[in-house]
Amino acid sequence: MEGKMRIGAGGSLALLCTTSEGLPSQHALGQLLRGINQQLEENVHSLEHCMEDVLKLGHELPVPPEVNSPREVADFMVHSGTLDRSRCDSPEPQDTTDLLRRIKEALDQHPGQEDALFNSLMKISSQQGLCLPLPLVSSSHVTSSAMSLNAIPDEDDQGNVALWSEISVQFRGHFLRRIEDLPVTGNSCKKRLECLQNSLVFSSTRDVWRKFRALRNRQWTEVLKREDLHGLESFGSNSHSVSSLEQAQPQIMSMMAEDCMLLNCGIFDGTVKAPKAIRDMYLTGLCGWLSGLVEEISRKKSQEDGKERRKNGRQKDKGKSAMKMSGSREAFAEETEEDATSPEDPGTSSLSRGDVELLCRAVSVFLALEAHVESLVSTMWDPSHREMRDGQRAPLRGVLKNSHSASNINQLVTDSDSTDVDNAPRETADSETVNMPIWQWRATLLELVPDVVVSLSAMVHTALKSGEEEEETYTQNRTLPTEELCAGLYGGELDYPRQVSCSCAALSRCLQQLLPLAVAGSEGGTEQIRTAFVAKTAAACDQVVAVLTKVAADCPHQAPIQNMYICLASAAFLRNQVFHFNSLLVNKGERGPLHAAYQSLRDFVDSLEQQVVGYHGNVVAASVLQDPESHNWQDTRAFYEGERCSFAIQMWSYHLSALRRDLWVYAPPRLGQHVLACVLRDSLAVLAARYSQARPTYNRTPQFRSDITAVLLITCSHLWSVCDSLHCLLDTTNPPAHPVTAIHNHCTTLMAALTVVSSPLADLYKVFKKGFHKKKKKGDEGEGTGRQNTQWLHFLYPGLFGQLGSFHELTAKQAAYVQLKLLCSQPAPDWAMLLHLLIMGGCQAPVLLLTQTGLKETVHSADNSPSAVPACGKLHCQPNSCAQAGTAEGSTVLQSVVEVMLCCPQYPSVLAKVLLPVIDRLEGWEFFEVSMFAERLEKMPLWCKCLVDAVQPIIKSVVMCAVDYVADHLGKTAPPNMAAALSALPCGCRAARGDDSDEEEEKAMSTKVVLTRALACLLSALMETVQTIPTAVQLFCKQLQDKLTEKEIQTAHSSVGLQLLAGALYLALHNQMQLEQWAGHTMKQTIKDNLSLLGLCAYHVLTATVASSKGNMPRLAYTFMRKHGSWLTEQIDNIVESVSNVSVDDGSSAAVLEGGNLEFLQLFMSTLAHNILQEPQGKKNLTHLFKVIKANQQWFQVQLGIPPLLGKDDLPQVVPFEPNPGSAEQGMTFDPLLEFNSIGDCSIDQNILLEFPWDWAELLQSDLGLSEPGFTALLQHRCDITDESCLGTDKEKRHVATLRGKFGLEQTSSV
């Protein structure tokens, strides 16, 4: 029994190569490699011993003296007849007949036990040395004709051949039925391969391949018909339903993938090439399906054309008769000539719109299948592909060709030899592999090409009519109707807007629908479709651009400014669509057929962007910032009694807020950000120029100070929205042409004017009394920082930006809030920013989120599955990427955080950093007490369920091994042990005695025996599969075990990881509904009950320390531990070592990335976020976390201790946490009164603006970007320097005199 349960290094190697749970961790991989090396060393020693035995045997035989090596001894034994004299005599035909009859009787008397009888037959063959009559390759015609005509066959031999044929037929039928009963897709590939291998014992490879090919052909056809029963459209026959093909596409692709895995095993090697096998099983039949669809469309068109011709003929005859009666020969001749030469009208001689739509959908499916087959062929293992003839070198560009040129898919032929594999000459196999035509499914479209071209033109023309109607509507009411895009499309790499004009939406919908025909029309005589698509797309884009240009020119004098934003969004959307079309139609080494149209649209978008920026720049400079009363700096009276800042500054803030809201609603996110940044830059340039030249009087100086303070605060509040990364916000290495660089420079200029012109005279004198250069030296020695144009943020908001030298110099809380604030200010979710926020600072944000919310959501309710949310159905909505369909309804923040952390292999420690504080907060350490762990699993907390879900893929593969064994053997009687009943062999030799397991097989397969063997299978599979446990889970289990050891909490075998796996097995085997889903079929209640018992036994066997601790342990588990204690201990030790032995260097990649360049860190996070979005639940989890974080931005500010922008040292009032934010867009509402009286998230307080707590000493000693001439020029703008009447004391006069002397200034005026 123990020998059966052992799995050597070969099993580990197979696991390493084929496991679907992922690659092992670094430590586990090292263990596997060490095991393989050890096995190889043992094999070397075994071979050495074998060579020694051969030499010893040679010394015992009369061999010539020159024979010394093992090879020479073996050759001598073969050629001298030594082996022939030692072999058995030929068996008597009657003895062979008796053995075959015994096998036949066992098959007849034990139906349903074919698998066990087959295993028994194989055991006889291996243990007793019997050679079964395996199927041989059929003899050639030449060999058959050379046989003697007078040969008399032996009757006994003929009887034995007949018996063996009957046995083979029964076994072949059984294995074929087993293959038919398996699910067409799912976890059945391994079983299918096993049945095929068993069938090869009784049939030739060609026969097995022929039957398997027919079976898979029938299965995918049945899948198509089954889906067709629920189809919506058909052409008189359900087999041509396009909807059924779309629904069956995922299953057909899955069948192809599984069959490729099977073919890569080499089971049909030498009979059929893998690419040709895929062609024979799927592609030929699919071509027939498409051909039938084309014929049906052609038939319908012919009928409609016949009706139209008859109708037109009757009308034409009436017209000609009338013309003849009127005597107008010239009119009749002109009509006849026009009929003969008239071009095709878009409304006639074309396919119906419904037929074209169905054809487009079908072609789209075929393109997806073609790409899928191409990817499968590229992974197929065929050694003949690597052998080049005549010394030719393999072309490198062959692996780089696109799907429209000769590539791997060229191996999938469609000629006549596809139906007769066996009759193809073997000599042509290699040439067939090298020179193969492409999959010619496009050729079936040839007869429809002219009609498709005409229909394409008609559909585009119809789509453009909506633009004409829209233009008429615009002329009447001066508004553009819009249509929303799917929320999942918003933003992205191409920067899509939220909504576009209805005319652009109609055109894009039409072109997107026709795109599959254009992509397919790249070869095989269908190029006319592609050419027509390109021409119509370019012409339609020009027509739309002309309309948008006219609408934009009317803004804002004759139409609302929102129309300009809609034009900008529509043009950007159309540009993205053309870029997408061009990328699909481009050939290698070319720019693409739509490159010119894309360039034109890109230039048009740039011109519209400049138009928007120029308009707002003019409005701000000429209207918003024009306030003669407040900007009269020479007025000796205080503005507004010295109680507030200028109204123009407040209106400027309101204008920027309104512009941001409009851009966020209409424009693409990145484009809107750039427009807002340019407007902010241009308006700041105006403000910086005005305030740096202002000479305020004594009573106007407070207003001057208040205005610049307000400008800097307003800029800081909008800076979050115009920066798309930390690098853009805080890095001083931004390109000079970047708008944010100019914004920082203008703010530094304003800060310099504020400091020099309005700072207290005493502070100014203290710093500059020795001159400008003395100050610079002192500042350099004191601060140690170079010139940075972002230092104004530190002086303005020290509570957040601290001692700003770089982002990495911020405290952990400050850095976390900067990242969070930047994330929440983006127009669209930035997944790289979100991921960086979750990981940075020791996962401070998620830990705070999970530990400070009361953790009310951590009580796990069983079977609380989220309800399905339908897709939004908006423009270009894809259910797979729709944001509405991907909402995290029913899931919790903890689940989303854990699933995201498990997708970050570069940060293996983040899972422990998140979960350990949660467990500590809930005081959940006692949960892991081994004595109560099983009882608590039924009501486990949510954080424990997250851990169980993390190891679910491993548990699934382990559990299915036991489930398959129990389902195959439970309740079935044991077949007769033919090996035990065989006393003598047909050759006359005595049968060798089998091992002890033969006696066990003679007994009936009782439930106890089945469950015992299933338990052994379960433990062996767990020991092998545990190597692939995620490193993050390993590290968490290690740190958790250390915590439990400190708290003196006992765990199973001092390994909480083992205890967790045991609990996961227990839960999986008790979840009967989940087991049936994994198995792909329903199971009897008896089997499910026994699997539950098996789960309980597995838990006790893995967690109990000694067999004597019987307690509530099932008797089966107790017996198993007593009988197989040493083997069980070895398995448990291996599992504990695999789970616990993991080491991660804290100073490795994670720490390097945290302290690295911000731009590189952004690129790295973008790559990591892209990988997470590819996961099935990746986008749902990220979207859920983004909504929760954005809805609780102020709550995070309070928890992190960040003061408000307009506060002193007091924190805002405590705000409640919102765990379930609504699905509506946050931040899209606009309250004019609220925005006018706000700066960012704070209300405007004029007293704070007038008395803002500037640190004048630090400001004056810092580098404000001023040279000595620049400082001197600003110094002359101070009223106390130029006007002695402003000075109240002699001390102030002395200070002024000193400064004048140091900087060469004279008194210019006196009042």
Side-chain angles (χ1 to χ4, degrees):
M1 182 71 179
E2 295 179 10
K4 281 188 170 185
M5 289 189 264
R6 296 185 182 274
I7 297 180
S12 299
L13 181 60
L15 169 71
L16 176 62
C17 298
T18 62
T19 180
S20 59
E21 289 76 31
L23 289 176
S25 63
Q26 184 175 0
H27 176 76
L29 185 60
Q31 279 187 318
L32 290 174
L33 294 177
R34 286 192 295 271
I36 294 172
N37 289 334
Q38 182 180 359
Q39 185 66 39
L40 290 175
E41 291 178 359
E42 294 177 359
N43 293 342
V44 169
H45 293 312
S46 177
L47 290 174
E48 290 177 352
H49 293 317
C50 182
M51 295 297 103
E52 293 176 359
D53 293 339
V54 171
L55 286 175
K56 291 179 181 179
L57 181 60
H59 293 316
E60 297 175 359
L61 296 175
V63 297
E66 62 272 9
V67 176
N68 296 320
S69 66
R71 180 174 182 177
E72 293 174 347
V73 172
D75 291 340
F76 174 78
M77 295 171 61
V78 171
H79 294 93
S80 62
T82 304
L83 296 179
D84 293 337
R85 292 192 295 269
S86 302
R87 68 181 182 182
C88 299
D89 298 330
S90 299
E92 294 294 332
Q94 185 60 38
D95 296 336
T96 303
T97 302
D98 295 340
L99 178 60
L100 294 178
R101 284 178 177 174
R102 188 178 303 171
I103 298 174
K104 182 68 171 58
E105 291 174 358
L107 285 172
D108 296 337
Q109 295 174 3
H110 299 86
Q113 295 290 330
E114 287 84 357
D115 289 327
L117 291 171
F118 175 78
N119 293 332
S120 179
L121 188 61
M122 292 297 102
K123 183 176 291 187
I124 292 176
S125 178
S126 61
Q127 291 182 352
Q128 310 298 340
L130 287 180
C131 183
L132 297 177
L134 299 177
L136 301 177
V137 180
S138 57
S139 59
S140 63
H141 299 291
V142 178
T143 306
S144 300
S145 62
M147 296 177 62
S148 174
L149 297 176
N150 298 323
I152 302 176
D154 186 87
E155 294 183 358
D156 293 336
D157 290 339
Q158 287 184 338
N160 291 337
V161 169
L163 274 176
W164 180 250
S165 298
E166 294 178 7
I167 295 173
S168 299
V169 167
Q170 286 187 262
F171 276 116
R172 286 198 304 265
H174 166 71
F175 292 127
L176 183 61
R177 288 191 298 271
R178 280 200 61 187
I179 297 176
E180 291 178 350
D181 294 339
L182 293 174
V184 293
T185 59
N187 300 319
S188 56
C189 187
K190 183 178 179 181
K191 296 180 181 179
R192 189 176 291 109
L193 175 62
E194 180 183 352
C195 292
L196 289 173
Q197 290 174 334
N198 295 343
S199 299
L200 292 176
V201 177
F202 307 99
S203 298
S204 65
T205 307
R206 293 187 179 184
D207 291 338
V208 174
W209 157 242
R210 187 185 294 109
K211 293 180 180 179
F212 181 69
R213 179 187 61 189
L215 173 63
R216 295 303 270 178
N217 262 304
R218 186 173 70 252
Q219 285 180 338
W220 76 259
T221 306
E222 290 175 352
V223 168
L224 191 60
K225 290 181 179 179
R226 182 170 63 251
E227 298 292 345
D228 194 27
L229 295 177
H230 307 285
L232 300 178
E233 62 275 332
S234 61
F235 301 99
S237 174
N238 287 330
S239 62
H240 294 156
S241 174
V242 179
S243 62
S244 64
L245 179 65
E246 293 174 331
Q247 296 171 9
Q249 174 190 343
Q251 200 165 2
I252 293 176
M253 294 172 69
S254 179
M255 292 175 65
M256 289 181 178
E258 292 186 6
D259 288 345
C260 279
M261 292 175 58
L262 188 145
L263 292 167
N264 283 338
C265 296
I267 187 171
F268 298 122
D269 190 19
T271 300
V272 63
K273 300 292 183 181
K276 191 171 183 294
I278 294 296
R279 176 211 63 192
D280 293 342
M281 288 189 288
Y282 299 98
L283 305 185
T284 303
L286 287 170
C287 277
W289 185 95
L290 184 60
S291 177
L293 176 64
V294 171
E295 291 176 1
E296 188 66 29
I297 293 176
S298 300
R299 183 183 60 81
K300 289 181 62 179
K301 177 184 173 299
S302 299
Q303 295 177 355
E304 294 175 358
D305 288 349
K307 295 179 181 178
E308 190 68 23
R309 282 194 298 269
R310 288 192 295 271
K311 180 179 178 181
N312 293 338
R314 288 192 296 268
Q315 295 178 353
K316 191 177 298 182
D317 291 341
K318 293 180 181 179
K320 292 179 180 179
S321 299
M323 284 186 288
K324 287 181 179 180
M325 293 176 63
S326 62
S328 178
R329 295 185 178 181
E330 292 79 8
F332 179 77
E334 291 176 1
E335 178 70 19
T336 306
E337 183 179 357
E338 181 180 354
D339 291 342
T341 60
S342 61
E344 294 177 333
D345 183 64
T348 60
S349 186
S350 63
L351 304 177
S352 65
R353 185 179 182 89
D355 290 343
V356 175
E357 291 177 355
L358 291 179
L359 187 62
C360 291
R361 290 165 56 188
V363 170
S364 178
V365 174
F366 271 75
L367 288 172
L369 291 173
E370 183 182 56
H372 181 66
V373 172
E374 171 68 20
S375 64
L376 293 178
V377 171
S378 65
T379 62
M380 288 181 179
W381 173 254
D382 191 352
S384 62
H385 291 177
R386 301 191 303 174
E387 298 177 2
M388 304 301 298
R389 298 183 178 182
D390 300 328
Q392 295 179 355
R393 185 174 299 175
L396 179 61
R397 65 186 300 270
V399 299
L400 302 177
K401 294 179 181 177
N402 56 37
S403 59
H404 308 312
S405 60
S407 57
N408 289 332
I409 204 168
N410 295 350
Q411 301 166 13
L412 304 170
V413 300
T414 57
D415 46 6
S416 59
D417 67 323
S418 62
T419 58
D420 192 4
V421 180
D422 303 330
N423 295 333
R426 184 63 58 89
E427 292 77 15
T428 63
D430 293 337
S431 60
E432 180 182 342
T433 302
V434 176
N435 302 314
M436 286 186 176
I438 62 174
W439 179 25
Q440 305 256 354
W441 63 271
R442 290 177 175 82
T444 59
L445 304 175
L446 288 177
E447 60 178 293
L448 293 180
V449 168
D451 301 327
V452 169
V453 171
V454 176
S455 301
L456 185 149
S457 303
M459 292 179 66
V460 175
H461 180 73
T462 304
L464 289 175
K465 285 184 178 179
S466 63
E468 299 174 359
E469 298 173 357
E470 183 178 280
E471 189 175 0
E472 295 176 0
T473 304
Y474 169 76
T475 305
Q476 297 175 0
N477 53 24
R478 295 296 175 179
T479 58
L480 279 178
T482 60
E483 183 175 348
E484 292 188 18
L485 273 73
C486 175
L489 208 67
Y490 179 57
E493 295 181 1
L494 294 181
D495 200 25
Y496 278 93
R498 295 182 187 273
Q499 51 189 323
V500 296
S501 65
C502 291
S503 59
C504 283
L507 178 61
S508 175
R509 188 180 287 108
C510 175
L511 295 177
Q512 187 73 32
Q513 192 174 48
L514 296 172
L515 181 62
L517 290 176
V519 175
S522 59
E523 57 186 19
T526 57
E527 294 86 353
Q528 298 179 22
I529 301 177
R530 182 188 185 208
T531 303
F533 179 84
V534 170
K536 291 298 180 182
T537 300
C541 290
D542 292 340
Q543 185 172 341
V544 172
V545 166
V547 175
L548 294 179
T549 303
K550 179 180 178 182
V551 174
D554 294 339
C555 301
H557 303 292
Q558 300 179 14
I561 189 61
Q562 283 77 11
N563 286 355
M564 186 180 293
Y565 304 146
I566 295 174
C567 291
L568 180 63
S570 301
F573 169 74
L574 207 57
R575 174 202 61 188
N576 296 344
Q577 289 295 93
V578 172
F579 176 83
H580 171 62
F581 298 159
N582 190 60
S583 63
L584 293 178
L585 298 175
V586 67
N587 293 325
K588 184 182 177 182
E590 300 178 359
R591 288 187 172 183
L594 288 171
H595 180 74
Y598 168 72
Q599 289 277 26
S600 176
L601 285 169
R602 188 179 63 179
D603 296 340
F604 179 63
V605 171
D606 293 340
S607 65
L608 284 179
E609 180 186 3
Q610 293 301 322
Q611 185 176 348
V612 174
V613 173
Y615 164 75
H616 284 283
N618 294 333
V619 169
V620 170
S623 300
V624 176
L625 295 180
Q626 287 299 325
D627 188 4
E629 182 181 356
S630 62
H631 290 163
N632 186 9
W633 302 113
Q634 298 302 317
D635 194 344
T636 57
R637 296 172 299 172
F639 173 72
Y640 218 86
E641 302 297 332
E643 295 179 356
R644 61 166 295 115
C645 66
S646 302
F647 286 106
I649 301 302
Q650 202 166 345
M651 283 301 300
W652 175 65
S653 174
Y654 174 77
H655 183 86
L656 290 177
S657 299
L659 175 61
R660 177 176 58 186
R661 186 263 177 187
D662 288 344
L663 292 174
W664 269 216
V665 170
Y666 295 104
R670 297 301 175 217
L671 184 59
Q673 268 188 319
H674 189 263
V675 170
L676 183 61
C678 291
V679 173
L680 180 60
R681 175 199 62 193
D682 295 345
S683 57
L684 277 175
V686 175
L687 291 169
R690 291 182 181 181
Y691 280 91
S692 61
Q693 298 174 8
R695 296 172 178 264
T697 61
Y698 180 80
N699 290 327
R700 289 278 178 156
T701 299
Q703 179 204 350
F704 179 85
R705 184 188 306 117
S706 177
D707 282 2
I708 295 182
T709 302
V711 169
L712 295 176
L713 290 171
I714 293 168
T715 304
C716 180
S717 66
H718 285 85
L719 193 61
W720 305 101
S721 301
V722 301
C723 295
D724 58 357
S725 64
L726 283 174
H727 168 74
C728 180
L729 175 67
L730 298 176
D731 201 333
T732 58
T733 61
N734 285 322
H738 199 284
V740 177
T741 303
I743 291 173
H744 283 306
N745 292 336
H746 294 323
C747 288
T748 302
T749 302
L750 289 168
M751 183 70 73
L754 169 74
T755 304
V756 177
V757 177
S758 66
S759 61
L761 180 60
D763 294 329
L764 182 68
Y765 170 77
K766 184 178 180 180
V767 175
F768 292 97
K769 62 184 178 180
K770 295 183 180 181
F772 184 80
H773 295 288
K774 296 289 184 180
K775 172 259 166 185
K776 285 192 69 175
K777 244 178 231 186
K778 182 179 179 181
D780 289 343
E781 293 173 0
E783 298 297 331
T785 58
R787 176 175 297 181
Q788 294 182 358
N789 60 358
T790 59
Q791 281 192 350
W792 67 275
L793 291 171
H794 156 64
F795 298 126
L796 181 71
Y797 201 173
L800 176 58
F801 293 102
Q803 298 295 330
L804 182 62
S806 67
F807 174 76
H808 301 296
E809 295 180 12
L810 299 176
T811 65
K813 291 185 177 181
Q814 290 174 343
Y817 186 73
V818 167
Q819 182 75 9
L820 185 144
K821 180 72 174 177
L822 188 63
L823 170 67
C824 297
S825 301
Q826 299 302 301
D830 192 309
W831 308 124
M833 281 189 193
L834 175 61
L835 192 59
H836 189 195
L837 174 64
L838 296 176
I839 293 176
M840 66 184 301
C843 305
Q844 187 169 16
V847 169
L848 189 64
L849 189 65
L850 297 176
T851 58
Q852 299 297 325
T853 58
L855 292 173
K856 297 179 181 179
E857 63 180 16
T858 56
V859 178
H860 170 55
S861 57
D863 300 331
N864 185 19
S865 58
S867 57
V869 180
C872 65
K874 298 178 182 177
L875 180 62
H876 297 324
C877 177
Q878 297 292 335
N880 296 333
S881 60
C882 181
Q884 176 176 326
T887 53
E889 181 181 354
S891 62
T892 63
V893 176
L894 180 61
Q895 287 175 308
S896 298
V897 168
V898 171
E899 291 180 10
V900 169
M901 296 305 179
L902 287 172
C903 296
C904 301
Q906 292 82 358
Y907 297 88
S909 61
V910 292
L911 182 65
K913 292 178 180 178
V914 169
L915 285 184
L916 289 179
V918 172
I919 299 174
D920 185 63
R921 173 84 177 193
L922 293 174
E923 298 180 354
W925 308 109
E926 298 293 336
F927 176 81
F928 294 99
E929 181 65 43
V930 65
S931 58
M932 301 294 293
F933 189 69
E935 292 79 2
R936 293 169 178 167
L937 281 175
E938 298 295 335
K939 297 182 179 180
M940 61 178 174
L942 185 59
W943 52 264
C944 184
K945 181 182 182 299
C946 293
L947 292 174
V948 173
D949 293 341
V951 297
Q952 194 76 338
I954 297 175
I955 298 301
K956 178 181 178 181
S957 61
V958 172
V959 164
M960 290 310 299
C961 295
V963 169
D964 294 339
Y965 186 86
V966 172
D968 291 341
H969 296 86
L970 190 65
K972 297 181 180 179
T973 58
N977 189 351
M978 293 183 293
L982 190 64
S983 58
L985 302 178
C987 61
C989 299
R990 179 171 296 277
R993 182 174 178 79
D995 52 17
D996 297 336
S997 61
D998 294 338
E999 299 178 1
E1000 295 181 3
E1001 293 182 356
E1002 293 180 359
K1003 305 176 182 178
M1005 293 291 286
S1006 63
T1007 302
K1008 178 180 178 181
V1009 174
V1010 172
L1011 292 182
T1012 300
R1013 296 184 178 181
L1015 183 57
C1017 175
L1018 190 76
L1019 298 178
S1020 299
L1022 179 62
M1023 191 273 292
E1024 290 291 338
T1025 315
V1026 76
Q1027 306 285 352
T1028 61
I1029 191 171
T1031 306
V1033 177
Q1034 289 179 294
L1035 190 61
F1036 167 77
C1037 293
K1038 181 180 180 180
Q1039 297 184 11
L1040 178 60
Q1041 181 60 46
D1042 295 339
K1043 291 284 187 181
L1044 295 175
T1045 303
E1046 292 177 4
K1047 298 181 180 297
E1048 299 181 353
I1049 296 177
Q1050 185 179 3
T1051 56
H1053 301 280
S1054 299
S1055 175
V1056 70
L1058 174 66
Q1059 190 168 308
L1060 176 66
L1061 292 173
L1065 285 173
Y1066 172 82
L1067 293 174
L1069 287 169
H1070 277 73
N1071 192 339
Q1072 299 181 356
M1073 183 180 300
Q1074 181 177 264
L1075 288 176
E1076 290 183 340
Q1077 292 177 354
W1078 287 352
H1081 57 81
T1082 58
M1083 294 184 292
K1084 296 180 180 179
Q1085 188 61 39
T1086 305
I1087 295 178
K1088 292 188 286 188
D1089 294 341
N1090 281 282
L1091 289 175
S1092 299
L1093 176 61
L1094 179 64
L1096 183 61
C1097 293
Y1099 173 80
H1100 284 287
V1101 165
L1102 287 172
T1103 57
T1105 54
V1106 292
S1108 58
S1109 57
K1110 188 175 181 181
N1112 296 326
M1113 184 186 302
R1115 184 174 182 83
L1116 178 65
Y1118 177 76
T1119 305
F1120 187 89
M1121 293 181 66
R1122 294 295 298 269
K1123 188 175 181 181
H1124 310 290
S1126 60
W1127 177 86
L1128 180 61
T1129 302
E1130 180 183 356
Q1131 301 299 306
I1132 291 177
D1133 291 342
N1134 291 333
I1135 295 173
V1136 170
E1137 183 180 4
S1138 299
V1139 174
S1140 304
N1141 289 347
V1142 60
S1143 60
V1144 177
D1145 186 7
D1146 294 334
S1148 59
S1149 59
V1152 171
L1153 289 171
E1154 284 295 328
N1157 180 269
L1158 291 179
E1159 189 174 7
F1160 173 76
L1161 183 60
Q1162 178 192 4
L1163 294 175
F1164 179 82
M1165 288 297 169
S1166 299
T1167 303
L1168 192 56
H1170 175 76
N1171 295 335
I1172 294 177
L1173 291 173
Q1174 305 307 311
E1175 297 292 329
Q1177 301 295 323
K1179 188 171 184 179
K1180 182 199 76 171
N1181 293 325
L1182 291 177
T1183 303
H1184 185 205
L1185 293 176
F1186 173 76
K1187 290 183 177 180
V1188 172
I1189 290 174
K1190 188 171 183 178
N1192 296 279
Q1193 179 181 348
Q1194 292 185 355
W1195 180 87
F1196 273 102
Q1197 183 177 0
V1198 174
Q1199 297 298 325
L1200 292 172
I1202 304 299
L1205 180 62
L1206 289 179
K1208 294 182 180 179
D1209 295 326
D1210 54 331
L1211 295 176
Q1213 61 180 355
V1214 177
V1215 293
F1217 180 82
E1218 178 57 50
N1220 299 310
S1223 59
E1225 288 289 341
Q1226 303 168 6
M1228 299 304 296
T1229 59
F1230 186 80
D1231 187 347
L1233 293 178
L1234 179 63
E1235 293 294 335
F1236 182 77
N1237 294 304
S1238 301
I1239 296 179
D1241 298 331
C1242 304
S1243 299
I1244 295 179
D1245 189 339
Q1246 297 294 336
N1247 293 327
I1248 293 179
L1249 294 179
L1250 291 170
E1251 301 175 1
F1252 195 83
W1254 293 107
D1255 190 344
W1256 297 112
E1258 186 179 6
L1259 271 171
L1260 290 167
Q1261 295 181 34
S1262 64
D1263 181 7
L1264 297 174
L1266 290 174
S1267 62
E1268 185 173 1
F1271 175 81
T1272 303
L1274 287 176
L1275 191 61
Q1276 295 183 64
H1277 296 174
R1278 291 181 63 98
C1279 63
D1280 49 12
I1281 295 294
T1282 59
D1283 187 0
E1284 289 186 353
S1285 63
C1286 300
L1287 304 175
T1289 63
D1290 294 338
K1291 184 178 180 180
E1292 292 178 347
K1293 294 179 181 179
R1294 289 194 301 269
H1295 291 170
V1296 170
T1298 302
L1299 291 174
R1300 285 176 181 170
K1302 287 292 183 182
F1303 294 97
L1305 302 178
E1306 296 181 0
Q1307 183 177 356
T1308 59
S1309 64
S1310 63
V1311 178

